[in-house]
């Protein structure tokens, strides 16, 4: 990796873009031996255990959102990336199913905003799940109709809705943030040393097998002292974490189903990207084997409702070839307020190429995720 990075700088193309293209390429397939894998035995030269606040989240509070006790989480930091925490799948067995179902069935519904709003009337996308479930649950090998609305989803915004053209939020474009997702986010942030986190904006990215996410920095939020949280479900991906400039060579790591990342402090404004989704054979998910109901746990119950077998059949079919990433942000700090709304529509969005630049030619069925945010 060091030799490759040196060559990239010498070649006149910034190191991040060159490495992005290296992992993006399909023929020949990139060598993945240098990718950090937090799910196995992690090397100790750059990867060190992250300090968590075990007392900040009780076992009962963790169980209510489907998480293991904080003392059982496998959390890591990377030397050279202060403020970055990687949590390797802290979910209890069977509990990812609820969150996957929420991402596919609940969060895309109105009044939340999605990329389909660019091309279709509100009446045509009122029930994305309902118009897609029958087709996705059809037997394997059955003659398929054109892509379902669910398969055409590229992004959904929650809370303060991100304006892709102006790269801003507006007080006039806001819907209630999902209470269950805030419960999950507040517990994770508290365990990582950030009590009182307010979930004010969320972006769901839906990746197909040929999707990518361009090189970017998440800087639109007014308060950068609060962490950015990232939750990954479904197929695995390669995540690149760079520095404050694009000449900084990024570190490549696997993002597997259930994994979480917390970007805070100096790492909050680092360049990052997702160059590729791994083929199902190499990046398969075991969610189907886990079932769709949380196991019994501490007294106090859970916020997670059981997932029906019918709904889980649809979810499994989707995530066999797809990945869903959820990022949650606190937009405002104490005493801050959003500027006056921009004149453009809050859901106007062009596509982005693999480098995060605007590309108005992309459609809702384009190959890249239609966003410059994680």
């Amino acid at each position: 990796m060091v030799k490759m990075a040196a060559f990239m700088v010498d070649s006149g193309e910034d190191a991040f873009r060159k490495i992005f293209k290296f992992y993006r390429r399909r023929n020949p397939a990139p060598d993945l031996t240098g990718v950090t894998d937090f799910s196995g035995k992690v090397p100790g030269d750059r990867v060190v255990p992250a300090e968590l606040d075990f007392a900040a989240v009780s076992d009962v509070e963790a169980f209510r959102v489907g998480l293991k006790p904080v003392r059982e989480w496998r959390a890591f930091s990377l030397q050279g990336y202060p403020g970055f925490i990687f949590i390797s799948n802290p979910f209890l067995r069977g509990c990812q199913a609820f969150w996957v179902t929420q991402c596919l069935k609940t969060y895309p519904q109105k009044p939340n905003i999605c990329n389909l709003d660019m091309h279709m009337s509100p009446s045509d996308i009122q029930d994305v799940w309902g118009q897609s479930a029958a087709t996705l649950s059809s037997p394997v090998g059955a003659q398929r109709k054109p892509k379902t609305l669910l398969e055409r989803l590229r992004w959904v915004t929650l809370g303060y809705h991100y304006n892709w053209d102006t790269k801003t939020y507006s007080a006039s474009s806001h819907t209630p943030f999902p209470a269950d997702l805030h419960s999950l986010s507040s517990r994770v942030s508290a365990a990582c040393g950030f009590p009182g986190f307010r979930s004010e904006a969320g972006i769901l990215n839906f990746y197909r097998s040929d999707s990518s996410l361009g090189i970017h920095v998440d800087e639109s939020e007014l308060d950068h002292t609060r962490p950015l949280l990232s939750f990954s479900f479904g197929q695995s991906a390669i995540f690149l974490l760079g520095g404050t400039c694009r000449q900084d060579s990024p570190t490549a790591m696997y993002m597997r189903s259930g994994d979480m990342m917390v970007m805070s402090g100096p790492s909050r404004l680092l360049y990052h990207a997702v160059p590729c989704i791994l083929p199902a054979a190499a990046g398969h998910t075991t969610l189907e084997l886990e079932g769709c109901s949380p196991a019994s746990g501490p007294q106090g119950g859970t916020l997670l409702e059981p997932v029906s077998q019918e709904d889980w059949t649809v979810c499994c079919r989707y995530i066999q070839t797809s990945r869903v990433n959820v990022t949650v942000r606190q937009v405002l700090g104490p005493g801050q307020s959003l500027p006056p709304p921009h004149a453009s529509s809050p859901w106007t969005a062009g596509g982005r190429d693999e480098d995060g630049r605007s590309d108005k030619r992309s459609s809702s069925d384009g190959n890249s995720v239609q966003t410059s945010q994680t």
Side-chain angles (χ1 to χ4, degrees):
M1 178 65 74
V2 174
K3 291 182 179 179
M4 181 173 66
F7 166 75
M8 291 169 181
V9 174
D10 294 341
S11 68
E13 188 170 28
D14 68 72
F16 203 129
R17 179 172 171 79
K18 194 78 173 184
I19 293 179
F20 181 100
K21 291 167 65 176
F22 171 78
Y23 285 109
R24 177 70 179 154
R25 78 186 188 192
R26 298 188 178 276
N27 189 18
D31 181 2
L32 302 181
T33 55
V35 180
T36 299
D37 189 351
F38 293 97
S39 66
K41 184 178 180 180
V42 182
D45 52 346
R46 294 192 60 196
V47 180
V48 295
E51 294 185 6
L52 300 178
D53 186 349
F54 299 162
V57 181
S58 69
D59 292 359
V60 172
E61 290 176 317
F63 175 77
R64 281 179 60 79
V65 293
L67 299 175
K68 300 174 184 177
V70 177
R71 63 181 177 277
E72 297 180 12
W73 294 6
R74 299 180 66 249
F76 305 95
S77 297
L78 278 173
Q79 292 184 2
Y81 296 95
F84 175 78
I85 299 176
F86 190 105
I87 307 171
S88 180
N89 186 13
F91 286 99
L92 292 164
R93 184 175 178 85
C95 289
Q96 285 190 59
F98 171 82
W99 295 107
V100 172
T101 306
Q102 291 296 90
C103 291
L104 298 180
K105 183 177 182 179
T106 303
Y107 300 152
Q109 306 303 333
K110 297 305 173 191
N112 298 326
I113 296 171
C114 69
N115 62 292
L116 300 177
D117 290 301
M118 299 164 53
H119 309 282
M120 306 175 69
S121 66
S123 60
D124 290 335
I125 53 176
Q126 191 64 35
D127 186 5
V128 172
W129 175 271
Q131 296 187 58
S132 308
T135 300
L136 286 175
S137 60
S138 61
V140 177
Q143 185 174 2
R144 284 293 305 273
K145 298 177 181 178
K147 283 185 179 180
T148 64
L149 293 181
L150 193 57
E151 292 170 308
R152 294 172 62 186
L153 272 182
R154 292 298 176 263
W155 53 262
V156 170
T157 54
L158 312 170
Y160 286 115
H161 297 286
Y162 187 73
N163 186 310
W164 304 105
D165 286 341
T166 64
K167 296 182 173 61
T168 60
Y169 301 97
S170 168
S172 65
S173 181
H174 177 270
T175 55
F177 194 92
D180 53 9
L181 184 56
H182 169 66
S183 295
L184 175 66
S185 302
S186 63
R187 284 161 172 78
V188 172
S189 59
C192 293
F194 296 93
F197 178 82
R198 299 196 308 271
S199 307
E200 296 178 326
I203 298 178
L204 280 70
N205 283 338
F206 299 85
Y207 295 79
R208 305 298 287 175
S209 59
D210 54 356
S211 297
S212 64
L213 180 67
I215 306 165
H216 69 283
V217 176
D218 293 305
E219 57 186 355
S220 297
E221 296 71 35
L222 274 63
D223 185 4
H224 295 152
T225 67
R226 308 303 286 172
L228 183 148
L229 309 179
S230 174
F231 308 110
S232 185
F233 302 104
Q235 292 302 307
S236 300
I238 299 295
F239 178 79
L240 299 179
L241 180 63
T244 56
C245 68
R246 289 168 55 123
Q247 284 295 351
D248 296 328
S249 181
T251 295
M253 62 194 80
Y254 288 103
M255 281 289 288
R256 304 191 186 280
S257 192
D259 290 347
M260 303 177 180
M261 293 190 303
V262 178
M263 298 176 70
S264 67
S267 78
R268 177 64 177 78
L269 296 176
L270 297 182
Y271 280 99
H272 53 280
V274 177
C276 66
I277 306 303
L278 299 180
H284 67 283
T285 174
T286 60
L287 289 182
E288 190 166 9
L289 300 177
E290 291 188 0
C292 51
S293 297
S296 60
Q299 185 177 0
T302 175
L303 295 176
L304 279 59
E305 298 179 358
V307 178
S308 70
Q309 189 58 57
E310 293 77 12
D311 285 353
W312 190 233
T313 297
V314 177
C315 291
C316 282
R317 182 67 58 82
Y318 181 89
I319 62 174
Q320 281 174 358
T321 57
S322 304
R323 172 179 180 255
V324 182
N325 181 253
V326 184
T327 55
V328 179
R329 307 110 188 282
Q330 179 172 326
V331 177
L332 303 172
Q336 291 182 324
S337 60
L338 289 168
H342 193 272
S344 65
S345 166
W347 55 80
T348 298
R352 262 68 178 176
D353 66 5
E354 83 283 354
D355 204 20
R357 293 189 294 264
S358 178
D359 178 5
K360 297 296 183 181
R361 297 171 297 175
S362 296
S363 70
S364 63
D365 281 333
N367 290 337
S368 60
V369 174
Q370 311 280 316
T371 168
S372 60
Q373 300 257 21
T374 303

